[in-house]
Amino acid sequence: MRKGLLILISGPSGTGKGTVCDLLRKNHPEISYSISATTRQPRPGEQDGVNYYFYDKEKFRQMIDAGELLEWAEVYGNYYGTPKQKVLDRLNAGEDILLEIDTQGALNVMKAVPEGLFIFLLPPSLEELANRLKGRGTETEESLQRRLGAAVDEIKIAHNYRYVVVNDKVEAAEKAIAGIIEAEHHRTDLNEELLAGLQQWKENA
Amino acid sequence: MRKGLLILISGPSGTGKGTVCDLLRKNHPEISYSISATTRQPRPGEQDGVNYYFYDKEKFRQMIDAGELLEWAEVYGNYYGTPKQKVLDRLNAGEDILLEIDTQGALNVMKAVPEGLFIFLLPPSLEELANRLKGRGTETEESLQRRLGAAVDEIKIAHNYRYVVVNDKVEAAEKAIAGIIEAEHHRTDLNEELLAGLQQWKENA
C-alpha cells in the first residue's frame, strides 16, 4: 500500500486558495481534509468530529504544550489548530489529506511532516492581487496596502515550498495542483511496499 | 525564464527504458536529449556533434581527469560519456534534457546535478522481467539468471531516485513520466525569476 500525502497549500491573502482548494476537493473527492480543533462554541448544526473537534481552552493548551498540534493559532480569543496524531494515522492508512493554511502555520507543519507536499499559490502579479482584494469591497486603502506589503513578504517564504503554482485561472491552477499530487504519488519514499514486493520472486505468480 | 530540468531515467535491463523514452521523445519533442561523447569510430552517416561527439582516447581521458563528464563508462574497449558543460549550458538556457542511462552512471549524474529529476523505471514483477528477457531470445539461462540477480540489486538503488514508475504498459508509463516532468516544472527552485518578478510592483502593468 502506498502511504498518503499531506498536501499543504498556502499563499498570500487574496490569491484564491479557498476557491482553488474547493475545486480540488470537488474534482478529487478521494482527497480528505483535516478536521481542525477549536475552542470556539459550536454553531447550530455543527458536530464535534465532523465540522470541528470542539475542545475547551484548558484541553487545547495541554495539546499545545504536549506538541499534539501540527499547527495552531489564536484568532479573536479562540484557538484553532490541527490535531497531529489524527492526521498521521490517516496518512499511514494511505489517505491523502489536504491542509489549506496560512504561511505561518505552514512552517510548523513542514517541521512536523517534512515529507509533506508543500505548494505555494501565487497571484499572477501584485497588481492583479490588488484588483482582487479591491474586488472584495471590504478593504480600506490602508488595509489594502498592508495586505500587499504582507504578500510581498509572504512570497519570499515561497522558497520553503517545493512547488509554486500561479493562480491566473482557477481551473488551470487546480489542474496543475492535481497533476503535482498525481506525480508525487510516484515518490519512492511513498512506495516502499512496492519496492519490497519487487525484490521477491513469486514462484506461483 | 524557467530553468531546464535534467531528466534522468534508469532501470534494470529489460524494464523497457528505451521504448518508454522513445515514446516520451515522440510525444514531447520539446525535450532535448544529450549528445554523448565516444571514442569509437563513427559509423557511415554519423556526424560529429549530431549523433555523438567523437573524441580520441587521449582527449576523452583528459576530460575524465578534469571532471568534464557527467558520467562515463568503458564498453568493449571504447569510452562513452556525457559532456557536462554542454548539458549545464542547455539547462541554464531553459531546455529540458533527457538522459537514459544505467544505474551506475546515474549515481555520478546525481552527484554532479543534484537538482535533476531522477526517475527509476520498474518492471511490474521479477517474473514479468524474466518473461521479457526470455522474449528477446538472446539470453542463455545463465545470463538470464545473472540479469535477474542484477535487477534485484538495482531495485535497491531505486531509493536514490525521487520517483519510481512501473512499466506495465508503455503508454501508461510514458504518461506518468510526462506528468512528473510537468509537475516538476512548478518546482520553486526552477522559478526564481517568476518569484523575483512578483515582488516588484509594476506601475504601468
Side-chain angles (χ1 to χ4, degrees), chain A residues 88-129:
Chain A
L88 297 182
D89 289 347
R90 289 161 71 192
L91 292 174
N92 285 326
E95 275 184 64
D96 290 344
I97 300 179
L98 177 62
L99 275 185
E100 173 203 335
I101 52 175
D102 64 34
T103 46
Q104 206 181 340
L107 292 177
N108 290 320
V109 176
M110 287 175 189
K111 273 181 221 153
V113 189
E115 69 275 23
L117 165 49
F118 309 129
I119 301 175
F120 198 86
L121 201 65
L122 294 166
S125 66
L126 288 182
E127 298 72 23
E128 176 59 24
L129 185 63

Side-chain angles (χ1 to χ4, degrees), chain B residues 46-192:
Chain B
E46 284 186 341
Q47 289 174 45
D48 185 53
V50 177
N51 306 88
Y52 283 95
Y53 297 107
F54 294 101
Y55 297 139
D56 62 31
K57 289 196 178 179
E58 195 189 330
K59 161 84 175 159
F60 203 102
R61 287 195 195 105
Q62 281 172 359
M63 291 181 75
I64 293 174
D65 291 343
E68 292 173 3
L69 295 167
L70 273 182
E71 51 84 33
W72 63 274
E74 194 178 349
V75 182
Y76 299 121
N78 282 308
Y79 290 117
Y80 295 82
T82 307
K84 185 167 166 177
Q85 197 53 51
K86 291 184 194 294
V87 167
L88 297 182
D89 289 346
R90 289 161 72 192
L91 292 174
N92 284 328
E95 274 185 65
D96 290 344
I97 301 179
L98 178 62
L99 275 186
E100 173 202 334
I101 50 175
D102 63 34
T103 47
Q104 206 180 340
L107 293 177
N108 289 320
V109 176
M110 289 177 188
K111 273 182 218 150
V113 189
E115 68 275 24
L117 165 49
F118 309 128
I119 301 175
F120 197 85
L121 202 64
L122 293 166
S125 66
L126 289 183
E127 298 72 24
E128 176 59 23
L129 184 63
N131 287 337
R132 289 181 192 176
L133 289 168
K134 279 179 201 164
R136 291 181 176 181
T138 55
E139 305 289 330
T140 63
E141 184 59 30
E142 194 198 328
S143 71
L144 179 68
Q145 290 306 324
R146 198 175 53 236
R147 280 190 191 274
L148 286 173
V152 171
D153 288 342
E154 286 189 285
I155 288 169
K156 289 175 191 151
I157 300 175
H159 291 99
N160 292 298
Y161 294 70
R162 181 168 170 89
Y163 298 101
V164 287
V165 170
V166 175
N167 183 20
D168 193 354
K169 304 273 183 221
V170 173
E171 291 74 18
E174 188 271 344
K175 208 176 155 210
I177 291 173
I180 292 169
I181 295 168
E182 181 60 32
E184 290 254 326
H185 283 157
H186 288 278
R187 264 171 41 191
T188 308
D189 64 322
L190 301 178
N191 288 282
E192 292 294 342

Side-chain angles (χ1 to χ4, degrees), chain A residues 13-198:
Chain A
S13 176
T15 308
K17 283 190 297 294
T19 317
V20 170
C21 287
D22 284 349
L23 187 60
L24 186 66
R25 285 192 199 96
K26 188 178 152 226
N27 290 348
H28 294 273
E30 76 281 7
I31 300 174
S32 309
Y33 45 97
S34 100
I35 301 168
S36 297
T38 183
T39 58
R40 79 154 166 74
Q41 291 301 308
R43 291 177 191 145
E46 285 186 339
Q47 289 174 45
D48 185 51
V50 177
N51 306 88
Y52 282 95
Y53 297 107
F54 293 101
Y55 296 140
D56 62 31
K57 289 197 176 175
E58 196 190 329
K59 162 83 174 158
F60 203 100
R61 287 195 195 107
Q62 281 171 359
M63 292 179 75
I64 293 173
D65 292 341
E68 291 173 4
L69 296 167
L70 273 182
E71 51 84 34
W72 63 274
E74 194 178 348
V75 183
Y76 298 123
N78 280 309
Y79 290 117
Y80 295 82
T82 307
K84 185 168 167 177
Q85 197 54 50
K86 290 184 195 294
V87 168
L88 297 182
D89 289 347
R90 289 161 71 192
L91 292 174
N92 285 326
E95 275 184 64
D96 290 344
I97 300 179
L98 177 62
L99 275 185
E100 173 203 335
I101 52 175
D102 64 34
T103 46
Q104 206 181 340
L107 292 177
N108 290 320
V109 176
M110 287 175 189
K111 273 181 221 153
V113 189
E115 69 275 23
L117 165 49
F118 309 129
I119 301 175
F120 198 86
L121 201 65
L122 294 166
S125 66
L126 288 182
E127 298 72 23
E128 176 59 24
L129 185 63
N131 288 337
R132 289 181 192 177
L133 289 167
K134 280 180 199 161
R136 290 180 177 180
T138 55
E139 304 290 328
T140 63
E141 183 59 30
E142 194 198 329
S143 71
L144 179 67
Q145 289 307 323
R146 199 174 54 235
R147 280 189 192 276
L148 287 173
V152 171
D153 288 341
E154 286 188 285
I155 287 168
K156 289 175 193 151
I157 300 175
H159 291 98
N160 292 297
Y161 294 69
R162 181 168 169 90
Y163 299 101
V164 289
V165 171
V166 175
N167 183 20
D168 193 354
K169 304 273 183 220
V170 173
E171 290 73 19
E174 188 271 342
K175 207 174 156 213
I177 292 172
I180 292 169
I181 295 169
E182 182 60 31
E184 290 254 326
H185 283 158
H186 288 279
R187 263 171 41 191
T188 309
D189 64 323
L190 301 178
N191 288 282
E192 291 295 343
E193 284 192 26
L194 171 74
L195 288 173
L198 269 172

Side-chain angles (χ1 to χ4, degrees), chain B residues 34-48:
Chain B
S34 99
I35 300 168
S36 297
T38 184
T39 58
R40 77 154 166 76
Q41 291 301 309
R43 291 177 190 143
E46 284 186 341
Q47 289 174 45
D48 185 53

